[in-house]
């Protein structure tokens, strides 16, 4: 399915705030299940996190764009880059608790799972403890979830739900 995308630059500086804003916007705009919402790190003089929204039709994109602009958001057509970190995607809400890799792939738009330090994909029956926080990234047109080994031969998503801020113990 062709996706129509736009970028919102709310000036947010951290991923958790960006995730929260994406979820708020999706609820306010009543985005359909097939929509994608991603975060994109913007580097340079003013580091920040931009948001992208992709929807399945151009008329819906224009409606979303008008509603966001009316709310005072800076909006432009297209994606800021091709490597967004997906927060909203088909099936994301079903990825809770512990699942097998096969269940994760069948329930969501995620195309592939990789594990740090290994080649290839994990076996379909491998358990994945989601921690209710699954953030795949776009890589070469595929939505890829990077995982890491956990206790008991299970996997966990590489990104933790509540990361410790840098220098928290100083």
């Amino acid at each position: 399915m062709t996706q129509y995308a736009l970028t919102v630059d709310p000036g947010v500086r951290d991923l958790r705030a960006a995730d929260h804003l994406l979820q708020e916007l999706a609820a306010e705009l009543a985005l359909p299940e097939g929509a994608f919402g991603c975060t994109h790190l913007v580097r340079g003089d003013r580091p920040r996190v931009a948001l992208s929204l992709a929807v399945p039709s151009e008329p819906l994109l224009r409606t979303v764009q008008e509603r966001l602009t009316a709310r005072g958001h800076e909006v432009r057509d297209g994606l800021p880059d091709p490597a967004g970190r997906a927060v909203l995607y088909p099936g994301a809400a079903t990825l809770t608790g512990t699942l097998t890799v096969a269940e994760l792939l069948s329930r969501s738009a995620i195309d592939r799972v990789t594990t740090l330090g290994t080649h290839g994909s994990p076996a379909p029956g491998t358990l994945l403890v989601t921690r209710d926080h699954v953030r795949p990234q776009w890589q070469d047109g595929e939505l890829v979830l990077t995982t890491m080994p956990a206790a008991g031969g299970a996997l966990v998503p590489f990104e933790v739900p509540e990361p410790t801020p840098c220098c928290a113990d100083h």
Side-chain angles (χ1 to χ4, degrees), residues 66-89:
E66 288 169 11
R67 291 176 66 194
L68 289 170
T69 301
R71 287 182 168 91
H73 291 286
E74 179 185 324
V75 179
R76 68 179 186 277
D77 284 337
L79 298 171
D81 62 56
R85 171 184 160 273
V87 176
L88 308 171
Y89 51 93

Side-chain angles (χ1 to χ4, degrees), residues 67-159:
R67 291 176 66 194
L68 289 170
T69 301
R71 287 182 168 91
H73 291 286
E74 179 185 324
V75 179
R76 68 179 186 277
D77 284 337
L79 298 171
D81 62 56
R85 171 184 160 273
V87 176
L88 308 171
Y89 51 93
T94 69
L95 304 181
T96 60
T98 300
L99 310 168
T100 65
V101 168
E103 289 171 325
L104 174 119
L105 294 172
S106 70
R107 291 182 185 183
S108 72
I110 296 173
D111 297 303
R112 190 163 49 92
V113 176
T114 63
T115 303
L116 291 176
T118 67
H119 293 288
S121 297
T126 303
L127 292 179
L128 176 74
V129 181
T130 69
R131 301 180 294 203
D132 301 342
H133 187 84
V134 180
R135 301 291 188 263
Q137 292 200 328
W138 288 103
Q139 296 176 10
D140 299 323
E142 287 186 309
L143 199 52
V144 179
L145 177 66
T146 301
T147 63
M148 57 188 179
L155 300 173
V156 292
F158 176 71
E159 183 178 326

